[in-house]
Amino acid sequence: MITLIQYNDPGYTTRDGLSPAEASKLVKPDHINWFDVEITNKILVEDTAQFFGIHHLMAEDIQNLEQLPKFEVFDKYLFFTLKMLVFNPDANKITQEHLSIVMGEDLIITFQEGLPGDVFDELRNRIALAKGRIRKYGADYLFYNIIDSVVDNYMIIMERLRDKIEKLEAEIIKDPSFHVVEEIMEIKKEINTLRKYTLPLRDALNKMRVEGSHFIQKTSVNYFQDVADHIHYLISSFETSREMLKDIMDLHLSNLSNDMNKVMKTLTVVAAIFIPLTFIAGVYGMNFKYMPELDSPYGYPMLWTFMIVSSVVMVVYMKHKKWL
Amino acid sequence: MITLIQYNDPGYTTRDGLSPAEASKLVKPDHINWFDVEITNKILVEDTAQFFGIHHLMAEDIQNLEQLPKFEVFDKYLFFTLKMLVFNPDANKITQEHLSIVMGEDLIITFQEGLPGDVFDELRNRIALAKGRIRKYGADYLFYNIIDSVVDNYMIIMERLRDKIEKLEAEIIKDPSFHVVEEIMEIKKEINTLRKYTLPLRDALNKMRVEGSHFIQKTSVNYFQDVADHIHYLISSFETSREMLKDIMDLHLSNLSNDMNKVMKTLTVVAAIFIPLTFIAGVYGMNFKYMPELDSPYGYPMLWTFMIVSSVVMVVYMKHKKWL
Amino acid sequence: MITLIQYNDPGYTTRDGLSPAEASKLVKPDHINWFDVEITNKILVEDTAQFFGIHHLMAEDIQNLEQLPKFEVFDKYLFFTLKMLVFNPDANKITQEHLSIVMGEDLIITFQEGLPGDVFDELRNRIALAKGRIRKYGADYLFYNIIDSVVDNYMIIMERLRDKIEKLEAEIIKDPSFHVVEEIMEIKKEINTLRKYTLPLRDALNKMRVEGSHFIQKTSVNYFQDVADHIHYLISSFETSREMLKDIMDLHLSNLSNDMNKVMKTLTVVAAIFIPLTFIAGVYGMNFKYMPELDSPYGYPMLWTFMIVSSVVMVVYMKHKKWL
Amino acid sequence: MITLIQYNDPGYTTRDGLSPAEASKLVKPDHINWFDVEITNKILVEDTAQFFGIHHLMAEDIQNLEQLPKFEVFDKYLFFTLKMLVFNPDANKITQEHLSIVMGEDLIITFQEGLPGDVFDELRNRIALAKGRIRKYGADYLFYNIIDSVVDNYMIIMERLRDKIEKLEAEIIKDPSFHVVEEIMEIKKEINTLRKYTLPLRDALNKMRVEGSHFIQKTSVNYFQDVADHIHYLISSFETSREMLKDIMDLHLSNLSNDMNKVMKTLTVVAAIFIPLTFIAGVYGMNFKYMPELDSPYGYPMLWTFMIVSSVVMVVYMKHKKWL
Amino acid sequence: MITLIQYNDPGYTTRDGLSPAEASKLVKPDHINWFDVEITNKILVEDTAQFFGIHHLMAEDIQNLEQLPKFEVFDKYLFFTLKMLVFNPDANKITQEHLSIVMGEDLIITFQEGLPGDVFDELRNRIALAKGRIRKYGADYLFYNIIDSVVDNYMIIMERLRDKIEKLEAEIIKDPSFHVVEEIMEIKKEINTLRKYTLPLRDALNKMRVEGSHFIQKTSVNYFQDVADHIHYLISSFETSREMLKDIMDLHLSNLSNDMNKVMKTLTVVAAIFIPLTFIAGVYGMNFKYMPELDSPYGYPMLWTFMIVSSVVMVVYMKHKKWL
């Protein structure tokens, strides 16, 4: 259940399905030894911790799937834990996996929840094919590449969220009655998830720069700066997205008010024209014995004239008030 | 009224109902001496303070149930005060107890309001049964375990509040007329209570790291970091919860507006169709002598035709406007 | 117009109505000399400043009743200025007095606006009766007690404001139509007043800890920390109160909307039932010669049947829509 | 166009209408030389800069009327630029002038847009009449006095704005229909203007304390602290004012809603009482041949009885609902 | 495709259409060598990077058009990347170009997306004509001028946005029904774009001051401070603009409410006057046999009198309530 990728500049081996005991014996100096462990099995993690001399506090954090990203220095190891977030287009949702990285000299152990071969496939390929600098550089460069693969997926998810926001905005501008509140809440939730794991990741990276510097070679500093830049960009995107969502919400509320205003104006126009006319018709429907107007042959046409004229005046007045 | 738990790696004793004078004589070197005092009785606290040489400022803070969490260093002692918050499922509410911890060399004195045997039962068990590392480590590890027990209960309460928020959200999405404002206020209050005690707790822990370092052994530093991480997680949860509640509130207000819009549209539809028709009926109910339409045999059916056609036109127009 | 309280552990004297010249000659070494000056009289302040060698900038701040709390170090003196805020239950309002404290070695001069014997009565009593540690400690302990008396009154006022807020909340939950906006504004104003003087007070205390340390004995440091804790608590209370008021305001606005919705629903129900019926009655009130229904003996009862049935259908539909 | 005020403790001269060349020759040691230049003329500024050895960057900032307040240290000079804001009661608006101060040893050059004799008149008077300490102290004290005169005018403007806000609040409480939005916007704009120049001024003063300390004598430090205090007070006033304006806006919006509720309640009351009654009247206006009620002699009075009773019931119900 | 501008105090040459290989050979000591490269072609960038010894991380950032502004120090080079934002009045929109600057000793290489001759035309002119100090100062002064040209365009864009905001404000005050929400959103988006590139630019400049100081001569420090001041001004403008937009939005929402109130008042006035009158007319249209009023000759005129009087009373009451 442990996979080992072992490489240096000239060579490359890979082994599958190792037990912790076997794995710990395979560590070769002058090679980069990358052990990938699945953390579904509690005993496996504890055995691995024991065989590799990993502090029990690290072992607990590895198994605690609720653990937020953090970085800690132990005697022999750097410990880094973060979340892999991958957008799964089939299920149309984000899946998250807890990922812990233990780095020693020439040694990297990754602990992940799911199946191997997800975010790291491209990285494994590069190692196998000796693409780029990966085979020439040390364990810290591999470490950087692992974190970078994770953060790249954050960027992809964020891009997708921004697309959603822009689509939402276009939609509400096209159709003001479009009901956006639930959609806004859903997007906000996804942004919150992303942010929940990104903010402590930034702190972890900062802490690493300060406290873990003796594990990181000077040539790799600029690479880690690059990841930090990406995270910076993500965090500023959260702010902007939040504001865009707030603007959409404001537009929606303003649309609701506008809509209401239009409805009320229609009602008022209808009522203001016809209620007085109905009253007048009611007057001449009364059964008083002595109503001189009723007997005049001009009564009926004059009344119509009066009613039409007053309606026209009313309509003109309302046009002037922009209620029509 | 003072309970003593005295242990080292091989042995373990416990004594009940001690007076301060008795208690102070029982302190054994090479053991961890944990005295648990109930602070309901003022004289008891002051006697304890006197027999153990506790500064009167500490004694005041121990008795001041309004005291916020804080940490202070005195000559012989570290002083830490915080709140135990426990969710009581029977009463469906959170009970709070004031807890003060005085730590000297090999000596811990806890002062609490309520009955012994609440949050610390599991810890006492571990000591009695020598589970884990508790019997092997020093007073600082016991100190850590006491604080950790308290913070774990904070996490449980927060989890419960988040469940409440999610249930509220589900409910309002299912039934938009659900009235959420009082429930939001209630949850906010509980979050505020939790936050009120968590924020100064963070500061106290930070201060302890800086000023109390000579009381904490190097091997325990990572443990205290763990508690700090939990508190960090709590604080970020407060933020997220607040935002979720705000979103629910926004949804509620938007629902209210929507609801109003629907009601107004119904009113407008009814009024716009029937008020003009009523006017027309009123016209032909007038008693003018000379109204030629009344005498025609086609007058009545033609009027019905006109009224039905105009209603249909009106309805079609309103469908187009999405008011129906 | 200057009052002197002069004490050491064994003895205690008090003198009234001194002039600055007299006062300055009465300073006794090995005693704590507390001069209390009323600042209503400009010349008195300037004379006092001259006889005691107080810098003219201090004298200006003492007389400037708009001066915010601040702390400054001069050659021979510490200077501290703050506001005494006392809730006056008779007038049901907060009175404020400008208070300046000049501290030298064995010497404290307080300058206050109002009458002596307000906030400090209890302190004077303690000195007279030699209660607690006051007669045993130095001028810095008296200094602490003066500031502590002031801050304690801030706490009392804040407690009163929180009570008001809670009463307001209870009231609006009991009676949703209760109009809270003016009350909220009034409470906010009082909180703002309190905050206006508390925030710079915190800064002043911080500055004192850094710059005035040579005037404060090591044993008094914990006491000043205590005042700082109270101020911390006050400031966090401001935040919480503000949020509670915001929640009450939100509840109020949501109540207004709800109320409106109910009114509109009633109107719509009445209109939707009776306007169509009125139209039908209008139809059969028309005077067409040929209206076959009018001649049928069943016309009238059938119409009533139709109207009642359609009303019932309408009511059922509206119950279903929760408008009734 | 350059005015020179030259003084020391015993003496005082003033000269008008100097050219830069003349001015630069008049600098006397053992005197404070204050040159006041009007910056309307570009060449004048550049000549002055040349004759006094002022860096071209300073010259640019002097002429750039958009320049925000800032402080900079050059080899021979301190450079300080800020805005004079003066409330002009005649025009009922705030006029702003760009003011730059160049300070060297015994030398101060002020560059201002407008006419001499505005904010500094009182200062010139004090110099002429040897009032206070101005003639005894050095150039840094003059420098302080110049800045202080400017900041005092800020305080006056802020006071005026607070008065406006309080008047607005009183007005809206007296007359809830008072339309405050435009007034709020106007006040906000003025506050923003003031804040725009105050915030960088604070930064400039801070920078001066750190970088310009060798130009400021130790005895003057407390004076500059005084200006800093004023600015602090201003900035906290901005916050408070903003909140007060927000509260007024909330009150206004709540008033609008209240107003609407009242209007709707009136409409609903009228409609709910009279629409059903009109329907009943319509029923008995129908022309059916067989309507037994019409023939009864008690029909008419009984109907009136019924209508009055049902109206009274309606009114009582609405009173109970607080709609009347 | 590479353009070279080579100059020192006495001389100036320019060459066009160079290949990276040619360009790298043309670097002359004692001259400032400014190479301007278009980054549309990937190979060109990589060749340039190779010939000039530029680190591959720089080359990646040069080509990554999504890269936010940043500053980094490499062994031989300073690296600065930012966005050129130019308002294009023809298209009425802002065009953005990615700009990277590599600075070595006597050497500046700029990489830009678009065509040469946009923001830098004026700068090239100054070099050609030896205007100002440009030909006398070093590469760091050219570097400053490049950044300054970019930031100046930011200022122009911001000015344009503020004009737009002020126009919007004037418009909504003139015509309260003006629909501003979409316009506000559009302006906000442009501000967000500007801010997105300005905030990291500030950080980059700060970082340069700290880490790149050995590349910047002491005489140039004040120039870079100047750019920092402009950026400071921009950032404070963002805040102010955001607030102004919020105020406009508030005004708009308040206008919507006001508008609604007016409409509802009109409706209520019409309904409250005519619905009761219609009821009365309906009463006397009833066909009861025994209605004494109908037979009286004064019935009809008395009814009119009653109706007119009650209408007048109603109107007066409504005037009093300010609904008319």
Side-chain angles (χ1 to χ4, degrees), chain A residues 152-251:
Chain A
D152 274 355
N153 269 283
Y154 286 23
M155 306 279 277
I156 290 165
I157 291 170
M158 191 65 223
E159 219 46 61
R160 218 188 103 255
L161 287 173
R162 294 194 77 132
D163 286 354
K164 263 193 182 175
I165 294 172
E166 269 160 31
K167 242 167 78 187
L168 203 62
E169 197 185 327
E171 220 150 349
I172 199 178
I173 284 177
K174 217 180 64 197
D175 172 11
S177 70
F178 188 74
H179 198 61
V180 293
V181 190
E182 273 98 355
E183 297 225 17
I184 286 176
M185 281 177 81
E186 205 185 299
I187 295 175
K188 265 191 177 172
K189 255 189 211 164
E190 297 191 18
I191 290 177
N192 278 343
T193 306
L194 203 54
R195 199 177 56 153
K196 180 180 165 190
Y197 296 127
T198 307
L199 289 183
L201 186 53
R202 179 186 56 179
D203 299 345
L205 275 171
N206 280 342
K207 206 180 161 193
M208 194 175 82
R209 202 170 46 191
V210 177
E211 300 183 11
S213 55
H214 54 289
F215 277 84
I216 309 297
Q217 290 170 37
K218 233 198 125 189
T219 51
S220 300
V221 168
N222 277 325
Y223 294 105
F224 283 99
Q225 185 57 43
D226 233 56
V227 181
D229 281 357
H230 288 172
I231 288 171
H232 229 82
Y233 177 76
L234 272 172
I235 288 167
S236 82
S237 291
F238 299 153
E239 263 335 286
T240 324
S241 304
R242 191 185 300 261
E243 268 175 43
M244 286 171 78
L245 287 173
K246 207 193 155 303
D247 287 351
I248 293 175
M249 188 74 197
D250 281 357
L251 181 54

Side-chain angles (χ1 to χ4, degrees), chain B residues 290-307:
Chain B
Y290 310 95
M291 292 177 68
E293 299 96 324
L294 296 181
D295 297 325
S296 154
Y298 305 115
Y300 186 53
M302 276 177 70
L303 191 72
W304 264 121
T305 312
F306 170 73
M307 293 196 298

Side-chain angles (χ1 to χ4, degrees), chain B residues 1-6 13-27 33-52 54 62 107-112 114-117 124:
Chain B
M1 264 160 134
I2 300 178
T3 312
L4 165 65
I5 295 178
Q6 206 166 46
T13 359
T14 176
R15 299 230 359 216
D16 245 331
L18 302 168
S19 74
E22 295 165 351
S24 65
K25 283 174 207 144
L26 289 170
V27 177
N33 302 277
W34 175 15
F35 297 96
D36 191 26
V37 188
E38 283 186 45
I39 59 174
T40 40
N41 188 336
K42 202 184 150 175
I43 294 162
L44 180 69
V45 173
E46 291 187 346
D47 282 3
T48 312
Q50 204 192 316
F51 281 105
F52 284 91
I54 291 169
I62 287 165
L107 179 78
I108 286 205
I109 314 173
T110 50
F111 295 85
Q112 44 171 317
L115 303 155
R124 288 192 196 92

Side-chain angles (χ1 to χ4, degrees), chain A residues 55-57 61 66-68 70 72 74 175 179 181-182 185 188-189 192 195-196 242 249 252-253 256 259-260 263-264 266-267 270 274-275 277-278 281 284-287 293-297 299-300 303-304 307, chain B residues 133 137 169 173 222-223 225-226 229 232-233 236 240 243-244 247-248 250-251 254-255 257-258 260-261 264-265 267-268 271-272 275-276 278-279 282-293 314 321-323:
Chain A
H55 194 280
H56 68 93
L57 270 176
D61 284 340
E66 296 301 307
Q67 179 59 49
L68 288 187
K70 76 171 183 183
E72 252 173 304
F74 289 88
D175 172 11
H179 198 61
V181 190
E182 273 98 355
M185 281 177 81
K188 265 191 177 172
K189 255 189 211 164
N192 278 343
R195 199 177 56 153
K196 180 180 165 190
R242 191 185 300 261
M249 188 74 197
H252 170 67
L253 290 175
L256 277 182
D259 200 24
M260 181 79 132
V263 171
M264 293 309 302
T266 307
L267 175 58
V270 167
F274 286 103
I275 289 180
L277 294 182
T278 304
Y284 292 106
M286 293 193 297
N287 298 319
E293 299 97 322
L294 295 181
D295 297 324
S296 154
Y300 184 53
L303 191 72
W304 264 120
M307 292 195 300
Chain B
R133 294 160 204 87
Y137 283 35
E169 198 185 329
I173 284 177
N222 278 324
Y223 294 105
Q225 186 56 44
D226 233 57
D229 282 357
H232 229 81
Y233 177 77
S236 80
T240 324
E243 268 174 45
M244 286 172 78
D247 288 351
I248 293 174
D250 281 357
L251 181 55
S254 159
N255 281 343
S257 281
N258 258 318
M260 181 78 132
N261 276 11
M264 293 309 301
K265 280 175 185 169
L267 174 59
T268 304
I275 289 180
T278 304
F279 160 66
V283 164
Y284 292 106
M286 293 193 297
N287 298 319
F288 281 102
K289 285 252 161 64
Y290 310 95
M291 292 177 68
E293 299 96 324
M314 213 67 175
K321 284 241 170 185
K322 296 201 181 147
W323 294 0

Side-chain angles (χ1 to χ4, degrees), chain C residues 127-149:
Chain C
I127 296 172
L129 306 174
K131 273 206 282 192
R133 295 160 204 85
I134 187 88
R135 292 261 288 266
K136 300 195 184 73
Y137 283 37
D140 55 345
Y141 189 74
L142 175 59
F143 185 39
Y144 149 72
N145 271 287
I146 290 169
I147 294 175
D148 195 43
S149 307

